[in-house]
Amino acid sequence: MRRACVALLAGVALVAACKALPSAVPLSNTGGVLEDTGTDRDRQPQAALAFGGGSVETKAPPPSPTRGPSAAADAPVDAGAPVAAATAGDGGVVAVTWAGEYFGNDRLTRHFEGEPDDVELDDKAHTRVEVPAPNALLVSIVNSASGDVICALHATAEGATATLDAGQSCFGDEGSTATVTDGRVTLSGDRLVLDFSGTVVASTGDEDGTDDDTIEFHLDYHFDGRRR
């Protein structure tokens, strides 16, 4: 009985001595938590994390392009590319073909003081352009119903734009005179646009000459058509 008690006390003393020994696993200095290597791993470049621990070759970035002539400037010039037309500053002359028969729409508006405007529209309007001399145009407004020329106006052309000579008569009739004050003609491809203004002086007297009074009003004309 005594031997059993001595053996039991020896076992208890051995267990207490084992508990006092230091741990074989080293602890970090952060309060006993095992070192977390994930922080260091995340700080490493991904190229160093190849499977098997082998190194991965990292290609160096391409060198920055140096300043110099652009690729467009170094590209060869296409010999078959069209050559731009010479401008007036280069002494070049641009040929504009004005002559032709133009059909489209027109609008004649008579402005009366104190009264509504009188507007005439024609969706079969016809204008003829002739070139009697260099830079000189003859612009004729043609009656779309009869084919007769209502009036023929002279204009001076400069490229694709022409200016009507002032003082000409158009849309006048018996007992009235209609004088063109200003006008412009433009040509874009086969499209012709004509605009002019004028002043009309008309007699209001009787046929026998009594009560001979006159009235004055203004008119505007617009034509937009294409060459056929």
Side-chain angles (χ1 to χ4, degrees), residues 23-121:
S23 174
V25 180
L27 300 179
S28 67
N29 56 1
T30 58
V33 180
L34 292 178
E35 180 181 4
D36 183 7
T37 58
T39 303
D40 295 336
R41 178 200 62 195
D42 295 341
R43 292 175 182 174
Q44 296 174 359
Q46 295 298 323
L49 300 178
F51 290 101
S55 61
V56 177
E57 180 182 359
T58 304
K59 295 183 179 181
S64 301
T66 57
R67 296 181 180 270
S70 63
D74 295 335
V77 178
D78 184 3
V83 180
T87 62
D90 298 331
V93 177
V94 180
V96 178
T97 305
W98 282 91
E101 305 285 340
Y102 299 85
F103 296 85
N105 301 275
D106 73 355
R107 179 181 67 249
L108 175 64
T109 306
R110 298 179 178 90
H111 305 281
F112 299 100
E113 184 177 358
E115 297 182 14
D117 292 342
D118 178 26
V119 181
E120 295 182 13
L121 302 176

Side-chain angles (χ1 to χ4, degrees), residues 23-228:
S23 174
V25 180
L27 300 179
S28 67
N29 56 1
T30 58
V33 180
L34 292 178
E35 180 181 4
D36 183 7
T37 58
T39 303
D40 295 336
R41 178 200 62 195
D42 295 341
R43 292 175 182 174
Q44 296 174 359
Q46 295 298 323
L49 300 178
F51 290 101
S55 61
V56 177
E57 180 182 359
T58 304
K59 295 183 179 181
S64 301
T66 57
R67 296 181 180 270
S70 63
D74 295 335
V77 178
D78 184 3
V83 180
T87 62
D90 298 331
V93 177
V94 180
V96 178
T97 305
W98 282 91
E101 305 285 340
Y102 299 85
F103 296 85
N105 301 275
D106 73 355
R107 179 181 67 249
L108 175 64
T109 306
R110 298 179 178 90
H111 305 281
F112 299 100
E113 184 177 358
E115 297 182 14
D117 292 342
D118 178 26
V119 181
E120 295 182 13
L121 302 176
D122 187 357
D123 60 359
K124 297 180 178 62
H126 179 195
T127 296
R128 177 182 302 122
V129 179
E130 301 169 85
V131 186
N135 299 327
L137 304 180
L138 183 63
V139 183
S140 299
I141 299 175
V142 182
N143 188 318
S144 60
S146 64
D148 297 332
V149 175
I150 297 175
C151 59
L153 303 172
H154 294 274
T156 302
E158 183 176 353
T161 303
T163 303
L164 295 180
D165 298 342
Q168 303 178 87
S169 179
C170 191
F171 293 113
D173 55 16
E174 185 177 357
S176 68
T177 59
T179 305
V180 175
T181 54
D182 61 87
R184 176 187 176 93
V185 192
T186 57
L187 182 65
S188 177
D190 287 330
R191 181 187 179 190
L192 183 82
V193 177
L194 166 65
D195 287 285
F196 68 82
S197 301
T199 301
V200 179
V201 178
S203 174
T204 61
D206 298 333
E207 295 182 358
D208 57 6
T210 61
D211 297 331
D212 190 10
D213 292 328
T214 59
I215 59 171
E216 181 176 325
F217 58 91
H218 298 282
L219 62 82
D220 290 313
Y221 179 77
H222 173 77
F223 170 86
D224 190 336
R226 293 189 175 274
R227 179 164 34 204
R228 293 183 186 174

